[in-house]
Amino acid sequence: MASKQQEALVHSLLERAHSPTSAKRIYAEKVQYRPLLLRPSSPPPADQRQARRAVRQKAKALSKCKPAPLSGRAARRRGLYALPRSGLQYATFAPLKALWEAYALDLLGSDVYPPAGGAGTGSMAGASAAAKLAAAEFHGAEVEVCRSKCTSRVGVRGIVVKDAQQTFELVTEKNKVKVVPKEGTTFRVRVPVPVPAQSKEGEGEEEKQTEDKAQDDVFVFEILGDQFMYRAPDRVNKKFKNHFLKAI
């Protein structure tokens, strides 16, 4: 409620423009008991059916809104790409290794077999195989560290379970997860190559030796980690050029 001093001030202001009787009436009708709306509310709907329709339309519009994709930072914060440091078994990824070997043979094609046209043909085949392997997928490949600035990493061997930009994460035969940096490291990869048995005249012992030799044939190549520090999707569109490397 307003104090007497405030009421007197309001009356004096109204009496300047109106007569005393009109001033009292205006004060009683429009000032004294006038409600003060702190937050105006929307008027009630004229029809309940229209209100329900508006609610349904709003829910339908919200259902069509697709959530925005997670950014790289948000995905890393939630650990979507992180691998557990324990519980990973080498036998679990053995089928993935076999699948990758079949993929590598299909990717390389005839480049895995020795050339029959001399040294020139061999150099061309090597360049073709290098271009294919530079853009290849290495999740599931079994790699071995053959050279490294850190000598304790030499000999580490396992299946690649994560091909990051800076590192390879391997699962070794002892069921341990090893994170090997690519910088200053050379990796060796072996791909078993099935060689068709050649028909030769001879005894059964010679045929057995030929089969054993065919089973031991492998295609071996090395990966320079310093030149391989890219994410797997980025290597697909990148063109690698042959140039001299001082570190080799």
Side-chain angles (χ1 to χ4, degrees):
M1 297 295 293
S3 62
K4 294 183 178 181
Q5 185 178 2
Q6 293 176 348
E7 291 181 2
L9 178 61
V10 173
H11 279 291
S12 63
L13 292 175
L14 290 174
E15 288 176 356
R16 290 183 181 181
H18 304 280
S19 62
T21 306
S22 299
K24 291 181 180 179
R25 180 178 56 79
I26 293 173
Y27 176 78
E29 293 179 357
K30 298 185 178 181
V31 178
Q32 186 176 8
Y33 299 107
R34 182 178 181 180
L36 179 61
L37 301 178
L38 299 179
R39 187 175 65 179
S41 58
S42 59
D47 187 9
Q48 295 295 331
R49 182 179 180 183
Q50 184 179 359
R52 291 193 298 268
R53 182 182 299 173
V55 172
R56 288 197 302 268
Q57 290 178 353
K58 185 177 180 180
K60 186 177 180 181
L62 292 176
S63 64
K64 292 182 178 180
C65 296
K66 296 182 179 179
L70 288 176
S71 61
R73 181 179 299 177
R76 288 191 297 270
R77 189 185 302 114
R78 298 187 182 188
L80 298 181
Y81 305 132
L83 292 174
R85 289 292 177 264
S86 61
L88 297 181
Q89 302 291 327
Y90 183 88
T92 305
F93 297 95
L96 181 62
K97 173 189 171 185
L99 186 64
W100 184 88
E101 291 175 352
Y103 156 76
L105 288 176
D106 184 54
L107 176 69
L108 294 171
S110 60
D111 293 335
V112 298
Y113 298 101
T121 307
S123 60
M124 293 176 61
S128 175
K132 294 176 181 178
L133 292 172
E137 175 66 49
F138 281 89
H139 286 93
E142 186 172 17
V143 301
E144 179 184 0
V145 179
C146 57
R147 290 188 298 275
S148 177
K149 292 181 179 179
C150 181
T151 56
S152 62
R153 298 175 187 155
V154 177
V156 176
R157 184 174 182 178
I159 300 175
V160 177
V161 293
K162 184 178 180 181
D163 181 6
Q165 182 175 359
Q166 305 289 338
T167 60
F168 274 136
E169 293 192 21
L170 314 177
V171 176
T172 64
E173 294 182 351
K174 296 182 180 180
N175 300 327
K176 293 183 179 180
V177 179
K178 298 288 186 179
V179 181
V180 183
K182 295 180 180 179
E183 184 179 3
T185 307
T186 303
F187 302 90
R188 181 175 296 159
V189 185
R190 294 179 174 86
V191 181
V193 179
V195 179
Q198 299 178 357
S199 59
K200 294 184 179 180
E201 296 180 358
E203 299 179 355
E205 185 177 355
E206 295 180 357
E207 294 179 358
K208 184 177 180 180
Q209 292 178 358
T210 304
E211 292 178 359
D212 294 341
K213 184 179 179 181
Q215 292 177 358
D216 295 335
D217 287 337
V218 291
F219 179 78
V220 182
F221 62 93
E222 294 182 354
I223 299 173
L224 302 178
D226 291 330
Q227 306 299 319
F228 222 67
M229 297 175 64
Y230 301 94
R231 297 188 306 115
D234 296 339
R235 290 201 310 267
V236 177
N237 299 323
K238 184 172 179 59
K239 295 182 179 179
F240 292 88
K241 298 181 180 179
N242 296 328
H243 54 85
F244 176 74
L245 298 176
K246 296 181 180 180
I248 301 180

